[in-house]
Amino acid sequence: MIPPGADTVLVRYGDIGVKSTKVQRDMERSLETNLQAMLDSREVTGTLDWQWSRPRIRTPEVEAATAAACDTFGIVSASPARSAEPTMDAICEALAEVATATEIEGPFAVSARRAGTRDAHPFTSEEIEREGGQAIWDALEKPEVDLENPSLTFYVECRSDESFIVTEKRVGPGGLPLGSQRPLVSLLSGGIDSPVAAWEVMKRGSPIVPLYFDFENYGGADHVARAVESARTLAEYAPNHTHDLRIAPAGAAAERLVSETGKTRMLSLRRYMLRVGERVAEETDAVGIVTGEAIGQKSSQTSANLALTDRVTRAPVHRPLLTWDKQEIIAHAREIGTYEDATIEAGCNRIAPEYPETNAVLEEVEAAEPDLEGLVAESVAGIERVELS
Ligand code: ATP
Ligand code: MG
């Protein structure tokens, strides 16, 4: 619930706060830039007020600004708040006004916290709770009070320069500000898993370079559309970063592997994708590759096969979903808004062989694999960029 008269959003961060002073300052600055960009991209009016590591957004659009904060990487939570002078009278008056305009069903409580120096206020937090509770009680004609099990709690945050009344805390993504880490190439298939994996590394501060392989006869226009849509959704989390989608032509590689390989086909296909990914990383200053693979999700993702595919590249391959169950991935995809993109209808000609290898040895894969170098070079040369704004 947004407190009536709300004019501010209080923003909190987590991991940034445990960094050394210098790193923290740099990250705060980039969080500030990113948050302002997020507000601007959604055309939400708001100005940031960064005081004592406690950012606030001053805004007439509290609901939309809270939502924008909760989609900004680095932010752990955000609360719509009503500001007041940091005096007992002003706090009590604001509490009474907020309570009067709120439909209170069931018992309430007041919980107060004071920040700032010991002598910043001539009252304690217990006194705020007592007197603030009394003010609400008087304003509402003896509502029920239950400090143990309230159905609504009015939180008062009293700082040196200002106080705030808050009735809810909304959860943000947490993590670190986007751009505080070097980029990673994200192998983005347009399926359910890979956008979630990309979002996870973005959450930790790494911008992504999305790379999609167009398997042409084995994929097709509707597949490309899915990939574009999921890249676009991810780009919305990164309004001040370039997240252009790279589309690599991969029809020839698919044809070649289908006609020349059997049970090790999918491993060679992955090895081909990783090799192209490595080249893209070299060109884009990216320091690794991220995929949506999880142990055992498919034959190519058994722990044995994952160990083997990585051997083809010097770039580290990151798999944030390594231990996630499909249901967890689906639930998260719904939360971040990429699930809809992944379910756009797409006709799929299968590349996979009928009996894929689940426990391959490197020599076996290499022996069966056609020379991929020409295909890799051709795909890299044919990459097209789709601008996502
Ligand atoms: P996703 O895993 O994204 O849901 P999927 O399950 O259809 O798609 P898998 O066969 O599980 O794809 O592929 C494993 C990983 O390989 C994907 O998570 C993705 O990172 C990468 N990948 C697969 N196909 C493509 C593609 N056409 N373009 C780019 N990356 C791909
Ligand atoms: Mg998958």
Side-chain angles (χ1 to χ4, degrees), residues 32-326:
E32 190 177 356
T33 310
N34 293 353
L35 179 52
Q36 186 66 60
M38 187 64 86
L39 292 170
D40 294 346
S41 75
R42 297 183 181 191
E43 294 177 5
V44 178
T45 312
T47 46
L48 299 183
D49 180 359
W50 219 269
Q51 297 192 21
W52 303 297
S53 311
R54 289 166 186 268
R56 308 157 194 191
I57 312 172
R58 308 283 182 193
T59 175
E61 296 173 82
V62 171
E63 173 68 51
T66 307
C70 289
D71 281 338
T72 303
F73 299 116
I75 291 175
V76 167
S77 69
S79 295
R82 177 190 162 133
S83 63
E85 291 293 307
T87 65
M88 186 65 93
D89 282 351
I91 292 170
C92 287
E93 193 180 316
L95 275 170
E97 271 176 33
V98 168
T100 311
T102 304
E103 272 185 39
I104 301 187
E105 288 166 16
F108 80 93
V110 176
S111 170
R113 256 193 23 197
R114 258 177 15 144
T117 54
R118 187 170 273 281
D119 55 3
H121 310 97
F123 45 80
T124 64
S125 47
E126 289 75 25
E127 283 165 343
I128 301 177
E129 289 171 356
R130 200 161 354 100
E131 294 189 30
Q134 183 68 48
I136 296 176
W137 169 273
D138 291 342
L140 294 186
E141 294 174 18
K142 306 187 183 17
E144 216 182 321
V145 180
D146 185 343
L147 302 180
E148 298 296 314
N149 290 301
S151 66
L152 179 64
T153 301
F154 298 93
Y155 295 93
V156 179
E157 274 200 46
C158 188
R159 303 179 185 171
S160 313
D161 61 333
E162 203 172 8
S163 67
F164 299 96
I165 293 160
V166 163
T167 46
E168 73 169 309
K169 191 188 259 188
R170 285 194 220 162
V171 179
L176 298 172
L178 191 67
S180 60
Q181 304 292 319
R182 292 269 294 278
L184 296 168
V185 171
S186 152
L187 302 191
L188 202 63
S189 71
I192 294 169
D193 308 323
S194 46
V196 176
W199 189 93
E200 287 294 317
V201 299
M202 289 167 73
K203 175 188 134 177
R204 293 301 302 172
S206 288
I208 55 159
V209 179
L211 173 61
Y212 170 73
F213 292 92
D214 180 2
F215 293 116
E216 295 162 26
N217 291 335
Y218 294 89
D222 37 10
H223 274 185
V224 183
R226 292 196 322 178
V228 172
E229 281 318 306
S230 54
R232 208 185 292 284
T233 303
L234 291 170
E236 285 170 13
Y237 288 93
N240 52 336
H241 290 80
T242 310
H243 269 212
D244 293 355
L245 175 66
R246 285 169 166 74
I247 300 182
E255 301 285 356
R256 184 96 188 264
L257 290 173
V258 167
S259 65
E260 293 182 27
T261 61
K263 61 186 183 163
T264 57
R265 183 180 308 152
M266 299 316 275
L267 299 172
S268 288
L269 186 70
R270 311 222 76 80
R271 285 157 57 85
Y272 150 81
M273 290 199 274
L274 291 177
R275 282 172 67 171
V276 176
E278 183 185 276
R279 302 281 176 89
V280 172
E282 282 161 6
E283 278 171 22
T284 54
D285 199 37
V287 288
I289 298 170
V290 57
T291 79
E293 291 163 306
I295 297 175
Q297 195 195 72
K298 289 190 173 176
S299 64
S300 58
Q301 299 171 30
T302 60
S303 54
N305 284 352
L306 290 177
L308 182 150
T309 44
D310 283 14
R311 301 271 290 274
V312 80
T313 173
R314 276 164 308 154
V317 180
H318 300 296
R319 300 182 170 94
L321 310 185
L322 191 69
T323 61
W324 294 32
D325 288 353
K326 194 74 184 187

